[in-house]
Amino acid sequence: AIQYTNLDFLFFYLGHLAAQNNEGDRSLYYYSQLTPEKTKALFLNSFNPDYAFQFVAQAIADLTRFDHPAEAERLVRFFDGTVNRSSLYAYAANELMLQGINDSRVDQLIDSARAQTTRTRNLNTIQPNRVEIAYALALRDEKSDISEAYTTIKNVEFKFIGMSRISRAHAQHGKLFEASQSIPDNIADPDILLFSWNILVGYGEGIKHSEETPQWKLFVENRLR
């Protein structure tokens, strides 16, 4: 069947399910079946290319979590553009931190995402990777990370999205005052909604592992990303 059918979506699903069950070796096996040609074909035939892209980033996060950096790097190399590669590294870092993992593995992913941005030659292109990097920095929340996060999105066209993600990260850390203070003054109601929604989601992310807040379980399981 592999010879005639593109099973890469299936391998992404199986790899992630194995990771969720803490079966690192099984997860590695399924992800190792992925090929550049068939994974790229998913983007051409997918009803939502972003959906396929998230699968790849999630796979990189899973492989990094189980200490398979070489296999994670192999998946990154499926893509040529520095913006794509940077986005994958940053998104994977975010996924690990949303799972409660914040250690040297996250640092390496963030450093790799930064390194790719320095290799971007055409600075006039849209760079969504900078929003993901800013979010990763704010989630990590080490010294100077917040200021660097704002610097990272300084010249991004959709700056409000990046700023709202920083607010979201503040809320995840329980810093609701800082999150609300991140909302710019004199902005339109739809933009206020964007910030408010991200703050609510971030706060939910921050407490979702707590057994003392079962009332948030339904929200966490059904919320939009």
Side-chain angles (χ1 to χ4, degrees):
I2 293 177
Q3 296 178 19
Y4 304 105
T5 307
N6 188 347
L7 299 179
D8 273 18
F9 258 142
L10 178 63
F11 290 136
F12 278 119
Y13 270 112
L14 292 173
H16 185 49
L17 288 173
Q20 288 181 313
N21 290 326
N22 291 316
E23 298 177 290
D25 291 340
R26 185 178 294 274
S27 180
L28 173 62
Y29 169 76
Y30 288 127
Y31 286 141
S32 67
Q33 305 305 305
L34 300 169
T35 65
E37 296 77 19
K38 291 184 177 181
T39 294
K40 289 180 179 179
L42 298 180
F43 290 81
L44 298 176
N45 301 322
S46 175
F47 63 90
N48 185 347
D50 289 342
Y51 186 67
F53 195 81
Q54 289 175 13
F55 265 99
V56 181
Q58 182 62 68
I60 293 167
D62 291 337
L63 290 165
T64 303
R65 172 188 164 197
F66 290 107
D67 298 317
H68 299 300
E71 184 63 20
E73 186 65 20
R74 184 181 78 89
L75 298 190
V76 173
R77 297 296 169 184
F78 285 4
F79 301 88
D80 299 323
T82 57
V83 171
N84 285 333
R85 290 182 178 182
S86 179
S87 296
L88 288 170
Y89 285 127
Y91 192 102
N94 293 334
E95 285 297 311
L96 289 182
M97 285 187 281
L98 292 175
Q99 296 173 32
I101 300 171
N102 191 352
D103 54 27
S104 60
R105 291 168 291 183
V106 168
D107 296 338
Q108 291 171 3
L109 288 169
I110 292 176
D111 288 345
S112 296
R114 283 168 164 158
Q116 289 295 327
T117 62
T118 64
R119 299 172 187 167
T120 302
R121 294 291 176 260
N122 185 2
L123 300 180
N124 293 321
T125 60
I126 297 176
Q127 299 185 55
N129 57 312
R130 291 184 176 273
V131 171
E132 291 296 334
I133 294 173
Y135 183 37
L137 290 166
L139 279 177
R140 187 173 65 176
D141 198 24
E142 293 181 354
K143 183 179 180 181
S144 76
D145 275 349
I146 298 300
S147 60
E148 183 181 347
Y150 279 109
T151 301
T152 301
I153 59 172
K154 182 177 180 181
N155 297 316
V156 173
E157 292 182 1
F158 33 87
K159 187 181 298 183
F160 271 8
I161 295 177
M163 294 174 67
S164 68
R165 287 295 187 89
I166 295 173
S167 293
R168 179 171 169 170
H170 279 313
Q172 186 187 6
H173 292 302
K175 300 178 180 179
L176 293 179
F177 176 76
E178 289 84 348
S180 62
Q181 288 295 106
S182 299
I183 303 176
D185 296 328
N186 302 317
I187 60 176
D189 288 345
D191 294 324
I192 294 176
L193 176 62
L194 173 66
F195 279 86
S196 300
W197 180 84
N198 273 282
I199 290 172
L200 176 62
V201 169
Y203 187 70
E205 289 281 8
I207 65 176
K208 71 179 181 180
H209 299 297
S210 173
E211 297 179 359
E212 299 177 1
T213 55
Q215 66 269 26
W216 281 85
K217 184 174 185 295
L218 184 64
F219 170 79
V220 171
E221 291 177 347
N222 293 279
R223 70 171 181 82
L224 295 173
R225 291 299 300 275

